[in-house]
Amino acid sequence: TTTTTTTTPDGCTGVNVADSFSVVSYGNNDGSVDFADEWVEYDALGGGAVSGQACVYQGRLSLGRGSYAVNSLPKVCRRVDLTYALSGATLSFNYQVSRAAESGDVFGVYVWHSGGFTQLASYDGDFGGAVVPVSLDLSGYEGEVVSICFKLVSGYTSIYETVAIDDVSVDYVECKPTTTTTTT
């Protein structure tokens, strides 16, 4: 008796992991594939999706520290499984800083991966009011489960200084293997 096991790609398909924040929840899954878990907030007030320095407000993810805890810089993170992703994964989102934001009010976008915590980009609040679309390259993180994080880096000390993030999406081509065992 001989047993042969063969693993081959089971076709590749374009997938989308997304959260449009249409419901006040850290667990929305609006793409063709689900996130690996819910958003996790690191917030001095810890109010969950409904309140605090990080929350879902008016259909967007909102970050601001205001007068609640001036020594606290909130962040939120959510895991994406890129285990079977081919190269070319992309993170896209829109953001809008409040009109009260000013130069020095900075938020960053990070990826937490097996190699640590890496900043992908940072944005200054000196042009508040406009909705800004962003697309960031996640190449190099394929084959891993990573966390996408949004974090206030500095400033945002007034209750009126906030950043709103919407339509978070990770797009990639996924190739899952299929294992076939034949016994003769």
Side-chain angles (χ1 to χ4, degrees):
T1 301
T2 303
T3 301
T4 306
T5 302
T6 308
T7 302
T8 57
D10 187 27
C12 299
T13 185
V15 298
N16 166 268
V17 180
D19 190 344
S20 64
F21 303 99
S22 56
V23 176
V24 178
S25 169
Y26 280 156
N28 297 327
N29 285 298
D30 299 317
S32 60
V33 175
D34 290 349
F35 281 93
D37 60 9
E38 295 187 354
W39 290 100
V40 176
E41 71 176 24
Y42 301 86
D43 168 353
L45 298 178
V50 297
S51 67
Q53 296 172 307
C55 63
V56 177
Y57 179 70
Q58 294 183 340
R60 302 184 293 180
L61 177 64
S62 179
L63 296 175
R65 64 181 181 167
S67 60
Y68 300 115
V70 294
N71 294 324
S72 173
L73 293 166
K75 77 177 174 191
V76 293
C77 299
R78 195 161 189 191
R79 293 182 326 131
V80 178
D81 186 351
L82 298 177
T83 302
Y84 299 109
L86 247 52
S87 62
T90 303
L91 167 65
S92 303
F93 61 94
N94 297 322
Y95 78 89
Q96 181 178 26
V97 295
S98 62
R99 293 190 190 280
E102 56 201 4
S103 182
D105 292 334
V106 178
F107 83 95
V109 183
Y110 298 81
V111 63
W112 182 85
H113 55 97
S114 62
F117 201 62
T118 303
Q119 185 177 50
L120 297 176
S122 65
Y123 303 95
D124 193 283
D126 62 354
F127 56 92
V131 174
V132 179
V134 174
S135 181
L136 299 172
D137 184 15
L138 294 178
S139 292
Y141 302 110
E142 295 87 354
E144 297 186 52
V145 177
V146 300
S147 290
I148 304 300
C149 302
F150 296 96
K151 179 185 187 306
L152 294 189
V153 176
S154 65
Y156 289 98
T157 56
S158 162
I159 195 166
Y160 301 106
E161 295 172 341
T162 61
V163 61
I165 299 160
D166 198 9
D167 297 323
V168 175
S169 176
V170 178
D171 297 283
Y172 56 95
V173 173
E174 181 175 74
C175 297
K176 287 189 174 179
T178 298
T179 302
T180 306
T181 302
T182 307
T183 304
T184 56

